[in-house]
């Protein structure tokens, strides 16, 4: 195994602002953590251009039939799985479209699997098992920027022409060498030395939120700031679906419920039917013509009405 020099990693540094955290009052302890957490958002702000570039690239690949696959170990892997698992219910996409892969597999979601993150070949194998193709996007996530499992996955992805993205917290990251787009978020030393589930994890979650949310917006999954492809799979989401249609159309509740029932609670289609008065079949065709973008479909409809 290669020798690891942690001294050169900023995420493994000693934080001078928290060296006495074990001696202060509980309130001051929490204040220290809170002050450090604030730095995560400012660090993400500095790489907005890289995140925007990644969103554009991811959305283009997905439009061509590709997938977004997050790869990580430990906290980084769990955050990738979390982000991926929330896309289907929120935006109505297939479970395959956004995936999370973690070193050590399912068991590692709940507890550490010894040695899994140190295996480059395992990172490659896990992507082969997922049927990775050149159309896909592999987003490697690692606070250190040197996790062998993630590097192995990124090397393989790059070798077959898949788009590679690196999300890490060390600018001189080995991962960046294998990334088409590198996103290095420099949050600095952690409150507790090396505990990268803290600031680094917070920053990673923020970046992944932006990558997936930005991509879904580019794919027409949002109308205004409403999640119009939400899947009403429980009582809360059924009520949210009704509220979204209400906010989008400002129509009476009885009409909203009737149309939602007619469309099988297809929120996007229901909004278009109510706003245009089109029959379900014609509204579906109009949405399909505009790749699911309600705003574009409405503009098209209004232009035709003006001509008439």
């Amino acid at each position: 195994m290669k020798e690891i020099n942690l001294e050169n990693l900023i995420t493994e540094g000693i934080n001078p602002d928290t060296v006495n955290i074990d001696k202060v009052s509980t309130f001051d302890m929490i204040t220290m953590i809170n002050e450090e957490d604030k730095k995560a958002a400012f660090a993400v702000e500095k790489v907005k251009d890289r995140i925007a570039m990644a969103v554009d690239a991811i959305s283009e690949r997905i439009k061509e039939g590709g997938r977004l696959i997050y790869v990580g170990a430990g906290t980084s892997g769990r955050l990738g799985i979390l982000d991926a698992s929330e896309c289907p219910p929120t935006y109505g996409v297939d479970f395959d479209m956004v995936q999370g892969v973690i070193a050590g597999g399912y068991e590692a979601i709940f507890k550490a699997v010894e040695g899994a993150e140190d295996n480059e070949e395992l990172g490659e194998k896990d992507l082969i098992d997922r049927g990775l193709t050149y159309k896909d996007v592999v987003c490697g996530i690692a606070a250190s920027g040197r996790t062998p499992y993630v590097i192995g996955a990124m090397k393989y992805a790059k070798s077959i022409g898949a788009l590679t993205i690196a999300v890490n917290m060390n600018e001189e990251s080995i991962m960046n060498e294998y990334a088409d787009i590198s996103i290095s978020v420099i949050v600095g030393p952690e409150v507790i030395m090396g505990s990268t589930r803290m600031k680094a994890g917070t920053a990673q979650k923020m970046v992944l939120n932006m990558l997936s949310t930005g991509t879904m917006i580019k794919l027409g999954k949002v109308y205004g700031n409403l999640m119009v492809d939400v899947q009403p799979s429980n009582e809360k989401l059924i009520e949210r679906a009704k509220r979204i249609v209400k906010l989008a159309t400002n129509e009476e509740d009885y009409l909203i419920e009737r149309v939602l029932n007619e469309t099988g609670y297809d929120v996007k289609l229901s909004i278009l039917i109510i706003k245009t008065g089109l029959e379900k079949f014609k509204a579906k065709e109009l949405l399909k013509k505009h790749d699911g973008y309600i705003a574009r479909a409405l503009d098209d409809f209004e232009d035709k009405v003006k001509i008439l």
Side-chain angles (χ1 to χ4, degrees), residues 60 181 185 278:
E60 286 305 313
I181 302 170
V185 188
L278 290 170

Side-chain angles (χ1 to χ4, degrees), residues 3-14:
E3 184 179 347
I4 302 169
N5 187 351
L6 296 181
E7 291 181 8
N8 295 331
L9 300 178
I10 192 170
T11 49
E12 296 290 336
I14 293 286

Side-chain angles (χ1 to χ4, degrees), residues 88-99:
T90 308
Y91 296 109
V93 298
D94 291 337
F95 283 92
D96 286 342
M97 182 185 286
V98 185
Q99 301 181 26

Side-chain angles (χ1 to χ4, degrees), residues 146-221:
R146 56 147 303 278
T147 305
Y149 174 84
V150 178
I151 290 170
M154 292 182 67
K155 279 183 181 178
Y156 173 68
K158 198 164 183 64
S159 74
I160 67 166
L163 181 77
T164 53
I165 299 170
V167 177
N168 54 68
M169 280 62 208
N170 282 287
E171 206 156 21
E172 300 302 319
S173 160
I174 301 172
M175 282 168 57
N176 291 349
E177 298 175 16
Y178 303 101
D180 296 307
I181 302 170
S182 58
I183 303 171
S184 295
V185 188
I186 311 305
V187 296
E190 293 288 359
V191 170
I192 307 300
M193 189 197 78
S195 183
T196 52
R197 72 187 185 90
M198 301 187 77
K199 273 192 304 188
T202 298
Q204 287 173 344
K205 181 67 169 74
M206 294 173 77
V207 172
L208 300 191
N209 280 348
M210 291 177 177
L211 292 179
S212 58
T213 303
T215 296
M216 295 304 157
I217 293 169
K218 301 285 281 187
L219 294 175
K221 303 292 182 180

Side-chain angles (χ1 to χ4, degrees), residues 96-144:
D96 286 342
M97 182 185 286
V98 185
Q99 301 181 26
V101 181
I102 187 170
Y106 183 81
E107 182 184 353
I109 299 172
F110 306 99
K111 62 180 181 179
V113 175
E114 296 299 328
E117 71 173 66
D118 297 325
N119 192 325
E120 278 197 24
E121 290 75 19
L122 185 59
E124 176 178 337
K125 179 182 180 300
D126 283 351
L127 290 187
I128 292 173
D129 289 347
R130 298 259 172 164
L132 191 76
T133 77
Y134 69 92
K135 292 182 178 182
D136 295 325
V137 180
V138 171
C139 178
I141 315 163
S144 67

Side-chain angles (χ1 to χ4, degrees), residues 2 5 21 49 51 56 66 93 134 137 147 187 195 202 228 243 254 264 294-295 305:
K2 295 179 182 177
N5 187 351
I21 196 168
D49 58 333
I51 299 170
D56 284 337
V93 298
Y134 69 92
V137 180
T147 305
V187 296
S195 183
T202 298
V228 289
R243 184 164 183 264
Y254 77 89
I294 293 185
V305 169

